[in-house]
Amino acid sequence: MLLLDGLVKNFGALRAVDGLSLRVNRGEIFGLLGPNGAGKSTTISMAIGLIKPDAGSVTYEGFGSPTQPSVRKHVGMAPQTLAIYEELTGEENVVFFARLQGVNNPRAAAREALERVGLTARANDRARIYSGGMQRRLNLATAFFHKPPLLLLDEPTAGVDPQSRTNILELVRELANEGAAILYTTHYMEEAQKICDRVGIMDEGKVLVTGSVQELLAKHSKETLVMIDRPSGETRISTNDPLREVTTALEAGDVTGLRVERADLETVFLSLTGKRLRD
Amino acid sequence: MRVVLTIAAKDLRILLRDRTNAFFVIVFPLAIAIFFGSIFGGGSRSIPIAVVMESAGPVATDFANALEKDSTLSVRMLPTREEGDASVRLGRVAACVILPKTFDSDLEKAMAGSRAIIEVHCDPARQAESGLVVGKLNEHAMRAIVRMFTDPKINSKMLAQSKLALMLNPNMTSAQRERVSDVLESLQELFNERNREATAAAAETSVNVAGSVNGDSAINTVNGNTSATKKSASNTTENLNVPGSTATAPAAIDPFLSLPIQIQSSTLTNDSTEPPSTYAVTFPQGLAWGFVGCIGAFGAGMAEERRRGTFMRLLLAPCTIATVLTGKSLACFTACMTMSVFMLLVATLGFRVSVQNWPLLALAIAACSFAFSGFTMALSGLFKYEGSARSAGNAIVLVLVMIGGGTIPLTFMPPFLRAASQASPFSWAILSIEGAVWRGFAFTEMLPSLGILLFIGALGLLLGNLFIQKRART
């Protein structure tokens, strides 16, 4: 559905995106993972046609390039910032964007979207008095009310309570099951592991690897991570034999703490870049 | 102390990094200082007036020449009073001065009680300037009177004409005629004697100069023509309170107790209508401030959308940026129209302001609303941050209102600012609304203002579109 091919974007001397290529298929949730400044937001801006790439192309397969306004009606976007009008009610917000998109029955579309995010009871309240989690759900509702075949969700669960997060993740899964192609960026590894069919790990403007979570774990992080705390600092050891590493450390003395972690996407990122995702 | 210095250093660094702050701390005060310095400082200032000479006599000619030479006036000579009045109506001059056909002949009979009238038709919206014009006319009238009584050729003719007028005056008894005639005879002898002395002196010295000083005024006679020197006579002007100088009917003046030249000023009237009420003048200016309010309400719209994050959603809509901008400017246009209609309803129903031409007023308001909605969109796209858009936008609008004549009469501005005022949409907005309300503009007279307002609106939309396109790419 979404095809990014060799995207390059420079801001002055800074190369924000460097030859990025990826594909997101219908019914698939593709997680784009990376630390702040990796180029995720710039990639999304190019994916929705707001920023023109210096090189490469963006294609919505079957529709064309999102630089054409008529093509953009096939995409829904939930930006990381809460892009809603606090002075309007929840329903008025969705109806406004539905009218912009040219939806036939905006009010019905708004009610359906609000119901799916669990805001029917508060539909006529101003968004200003919503909790953070409710505002985040409204932000999501304004992305999918028109049932677009492509959804770009930029940190859709940032700063929400556990209950809202669960609701959002379930809804995203539902939308994918209904056939939407979803590009999902997040900092939360457990989220990505839970709902993404495939992930791409991004750093310094490049996608380092793509694949399913299982594929990446198998390929890039077979080992277990042992973290040993000493007064001098933390030591990390990737190993196939964690018991031996722990024993050795304890025999050497001076150990103030010990942790053994199973390999996860964080470990994959660490092994690929030498740094933590949330650094 | 270290903490204090650290906080101060941080705040100063932030101050310098925000361009809006730099604008307000450095550029804006500088601009205001120069602006007010230009207004209240030295330099030439002149009030534009139209002069219509219906009389071709020497005194009228001298009077008009004196006005032309006066550096405080900028005289535009026009052939007919209709053209003079049109200049006032169109706002090109502050007043129209008319020297009527009988000006010289009335003056010649001054000693028989006849009075020469100078008509002044003032722009009601420029009362301050009109007051200055009347003051200057009084000054020049006094000088003309001095010239009349000190020029032997003129006063000899004046005495002869006055004696003739006395003989024909049916309102005087024969005893009164005789007494006044005796006085005139004595004066005639005095003037003849002085005339002979002057001629002899000229023959002796072969120099064509005769001098006579009266108060602050110095009179030179050169080749038989008189002209006043440009010496200031401001004291005379201040003390000169000519009876009947403010629209008093000539019949009410006792001719022997008033000066021979009367300044008769009135506000501009149009055809059969009465001069406009004060509210007819103030409501168009009030509308200009209403437009300022609309600009303030919508000027930060785009920056606000960016702050909210909804800008991205708007750009994602299956439409162009121009469409988004058009929608926003339509909201501003509607607000401007609504405000205008409300203000005019209050003016007409509550303050009995009579509108001369409703269709033209509707056109003027629509053009103003379009101009200011376009202007607002340009401002809206110009600034990245909401705070910048609000504060710098308000400052820009304030300056445009000031140079547009909304707060300070154009007369008090130096030439460059007066020229700059032509670029202010507010000056054109006020003129077009006044044109429909009380200036009596015809459609063709309204066209330049409407055209400029429409141009400003279109340019604003174009610039706004360019600015927002640029912002969307970054």
Side-chain angles (χ1 to χ4, degrees):
Chain A
M1 172 64 208
L2 172 66
L3 180 62
L4 308 180
D5 185 18
L7 292 183
V8 174
K9 184 66 192 177
N10 299 306
F11 293 113
L14 174 72
R15 176 155 287 198
V17 176
D18 188 5
L20 182 145
S21 297
L22 61 85
R23 174 192 289 272
V24 184
N25 300 310
R26 278 184 178 271
E28 178 186 48
I29 302 173
F30 186 97
L32 196 56
L33 311 180
N36 290 330
K40 301 191 297 293
S41 293
T42 306
T43 301
I44 283 188
S45 292
M46 287 190 285
I48 56 180
L50 288 187
I51 294 181
K52 193 179 172 189
D54 295 332
S57 64
V58 178
T59 309
Y60 295 174
E61 288 172 329
F63 300 108
S65 165
T67 51
Q68 300 298 315
S70 59
V71 174
R72 290 205 289 267
K73 70 181 176 186
H74 302 294
V75 66
M77 165 81 185
Q80 188 174 348
T81 319
L82 287 168
I84 54 176
Y85 296 99
E86 292 186 339
E87 297 81 0
L88 302 183
T89 66
E91 185 171 316
E92 285 169 345
N93 264 286
V94 186
V95 166
F96 168 70
F97 289 112
R99 285 195 172 127
L100 276 190
Q101 289 287 348
V103 171
N104 280 337
N105 190 341
R107 203 159 291 279
R111 284 178 185 153
E112 186 187 335
L114 289 171
E115 189 180 346
R116 293 190 74 170
V117 296
L119 285 175
T120 302
R122 303 292 301 275
N124 294 317
D125 288 343
R126 290 192 183 191
R128 185 186 294 281
I129 59 169
Y130 282 7
S131 68
M134 290 163 74
Q135 288 183 335
R136 188 58 70 181
R137 281 184 275 155
L138 177 60
N139 195 43
L140 184 60
T142 53
F144 72 82
F145 60 83
H146 55 313
K147 300 186 175 70
L150 174 63
L151 268 171
L152 304 175
L153 309 179
D154 194 1
E155 304 270 3
T157 59
V160 302
D161 56 276
Q163 188 188 344
S164 288
R165 171 171 294 161
T166 304
N167 290 343
I168 289 170
L169 293 180
E170 284 173 1
L171 179 59
V172 171
R173 186 70 259 173
E174 274 176 33
L175 293 167
N177 291 342
E178 289 164 12
I182 298 173
L183 181 61
Y184 189 103
T185 73
T186 183
H187 273 118
Y188 301 109
M189 296 304 109
E190 63 278 17
E191 269 184 30
Q193 286 184 231
K194 189 175 177 183
I195 67 163
C196 291
D197 301 304
R198 287 192 302 138
V199 294
I201 291 181
M202 194 172 180
D203 189 40
E204 295 181 355
K206 292 178 182 172
V207 171
L208 304 176
V209 287
T210 60
S212 68
V213 174
Q214 288 70 28
E215 283 171 355
L216 294 184
L217 289 175
K219 189 173 178 183
H220 296 282
S221 189
K222 293 175 185 171
E223 298 165 342
T224 301
L225 192 65
V226 177
M227 282 161 284
I228 305 159
D229 292 331
R230 292 193 174 91
S232 55
E234 185 186 71
T235 307
R236 293 160 174 262
I237 303 167
S238 286
T239 177
N240 286 321
D241 189 355
L243 184 61
R244 185 171 60 83
E245 293 296 338
V246 169
T247 308
T248 308
L250 289 172
E251 284 171 359
D254 202 19
V255 174
T256 56
L258 265 174
R259 278 177 295 150
V260 179
E261 288 184 0
R262 288 178 57 192
D264 58 10
L265 288 174
E266 176 82 40
T267 324
V268 174
F269 186 78
L270 186 67
S271 74
L272 286 168
T273 65
K275 55 191 177 188
R276 295 178 74 89
L277 253 173
R278 294 178 203 181
D279 283 348
Chain B
M1 190 61 189
R2 184 179 54 81
V3 175
V4 171
L5 290 175
T6 305
I7 291 169
K10 182 267 295 176
D11 282 354
L12 287 170
R13 186 169 292 136
I14 290 172
L15 177 87
L16 292 175
R17 284 188 182 167
D18 187 338
R19 285 181 193 170
T20 314
N21 288 335
F23 173 80
F24 276 105
V25 172
I26 298 164
V27 182
F28 190 64
L30 194 64
I32 289 290
I34 293 169
F35 178 73
F36 282 106
S38 303
I39 289 168
F40 299 117
S44 62
R45 303 281 188 282
S46 57
I47 305 169
I49 61 166
V51 174
V52 178
M53 282 185 62
E54 292 179 341
S55 166
V59 182
T61 307
D62 273 1
F63 193 86
N65 286 342
L67 292 181
E68 275 192 305
K69 287 175 185 170
D70 192 324
S71 61
T72 59
L73 299 172
S74 173
V75 173
R76 183 181 296 185
M77 298 300 294
L78 293 174
T80 64
R81 61 173 61 212
E82 287 74 23
E83 286 181 58
D85 284 350
S87 279
V88 179
R89 277 194 308 105
L90 295 171
R92 291 173 185 156
V93 294
C96 171
V97 177
I98 299 163
L99 302 173
K101 196 175 280 183
T102 58
F103 185 78
D104 275 65
S105 57
D106 286 342
L107 269 181
E108 285 166 1
K109 292 173 274 185
M111 292 184 188
S114 174
R115 295 295 174 258
I117 303 294
I118 296 175
E119 293 175 45
V120 190
H121 297 173
C122 302
D123 186 334
R126 298 167 80 171
Q127 295 284 3
E129 293 163 80
S130 299
L132 290 173
V133 170
V134 171
K136 291 305 290 183
L137 290 174
N138 279 325
E139 175 192 332
H140 286 286
M142 195 58 181
R143 289 172 184 237
I145 292 165
V146 170
R147 277 199 299 276
M148 272 165 40
F149 282 97
T150 51
D151 186 313
K153 286 182 180 171
I154 293 176
N155 57 43
S156 293
K157 191 177 178 185
M158 190 166 66
L159 281 168
Q161 290 293 330
S162 297
K163 278 196 284 185
L164 185 61
L166 273 175
M167 300 301 288
L168 301 172
N169 190 340
N171 298 325
M172 296 180 82
T173 63
S174 57
Q176 285 174 330
R177 277 200 208 102
E178 202 171 316
R179 279 199 290 276
V180 176
S181 188
D182 286 346
V183 172
L184 295 180
E185 287 289 348
S186 301
L187 276 173
Q188 180 76 68
E189 281 173 26
L190 174 68
F191 291 150
N192 287 343
E193 190 180 322
R194 287 182 62 83
N195 201 5
R196 281 193 297 275
E197 286 171 8
T199 309
E204 277 179 22
T205 59
S206 300
V207 177
N208 292 330
V209 176
S212 173
V213 176
N214 186 321
D216 282 332
S217 300
I219 310 298
N220 295 333
T221 305
V222 181
N223 294 331
N225 292 326
T226 58
S227 63
T229 61
K230 282 192 154 186
K231 190 174 176 181
S232 166
S234 57
N235 291 338
T236 311
T237 306
E238 283 174 15
N239 297 328
L240 188 70
N241 187 11
V242 181
S245 63
T246 50
T248 310
I253 306 164
D254 184 337
F256 292 100
L257 292 177
S258 61
L259 291 170
I261 297 178
Q262 304 289 318
I263 312 294
Q264 198 174 70
S265 77
S266 57
T267 50
L268 183 74
T269 58
N270 186 265
D271 299 334
S272 60
T273 62
E274 291 182 354
S277 74
T278 312
Y279 292 113
V281 177
T282 56
F283 265 87
Q285 289 175 352
L287 276 175
W289 287 104
F291 292 129
V292 171
C294 292
I295 294 169
F298 290 91
M302 277 297 179
E304 210 175 330
E305 298 276 6
R306 265 191 293 277
R307 193 255 306 155
R308 282 186 174 131
T310 45
F311 184 58
M312 183 184 270
R313 279 203 199 282
L314 292 178
L315 296 181
L316 262 182
C319 58
T320 60
I321 287 176
T323 311
V324 174
L325 194 71
T326 307
K328 287 196 155 290
S329 66
L330 179 63
C332 186
F333 177 85
T334 308
C336 288
M337 289 290 287
T338 308
M339 177 276 299
S340 303
V341 169
F342 172 75
M343 288 276 287
L344 286 166
L345 280 176
V346 173
T348 50
L349 300 178
F351 293 87
R352 296 173 183 272
V353 171
S354 63
V355 174
Q356 287 187 6
N357 193 327
W358 281 103
L360 274 188
L361 180 61
L363 269 180
I365 287 173
C368 290
S369 300
F370 178 71
F372 288 109
S373 54
F375 179 79
T376 305
M377 290 306 109
L379 268 187
S380 183
L382 189 60
F383 298 102
K384 188 172 183 180
Y385 302 109
E386 197 178 341
S388 319
R390 288 196 193 286
S391 46
N394 287 343
I396 288 170
V397 169
L398 193 65
V399 169
L400 284 175
V401 173
M402 285 197 287
I403 67 169
T407 52
I408 299 166
L410 293 176
T411 297
F412 299 126
M413 297 184 190
F416 80 92
L417 270 182
R418 217 179 292 172
S421 77
Q422 300 294 307
S424 169
F426 293 97
S427 59
W428 295 104
I430 292 172
L431 184 65
S432 65
I433 294 168
E434 285 180 347
V437 174
W438 59 264
R439 284 187 187 273
F441 276 18
F443 179 69
T444 48
E445 290 171 332
M446 188 69 101
L447 278 178
S449 314
L450 294 179
I452 287 167
L453 287 168
L454 293 178
F455 173 75
I456 289 170
L459 183 67
L461 283 174
L462 183 70
L463 289 175
N465 192 35
L466 288 175
F467 293 148
I468 291 164
Q469 294 266 16
K470 191 181 168 197
R471 293 263 176 247
R473 286 195 291 269
T474 56

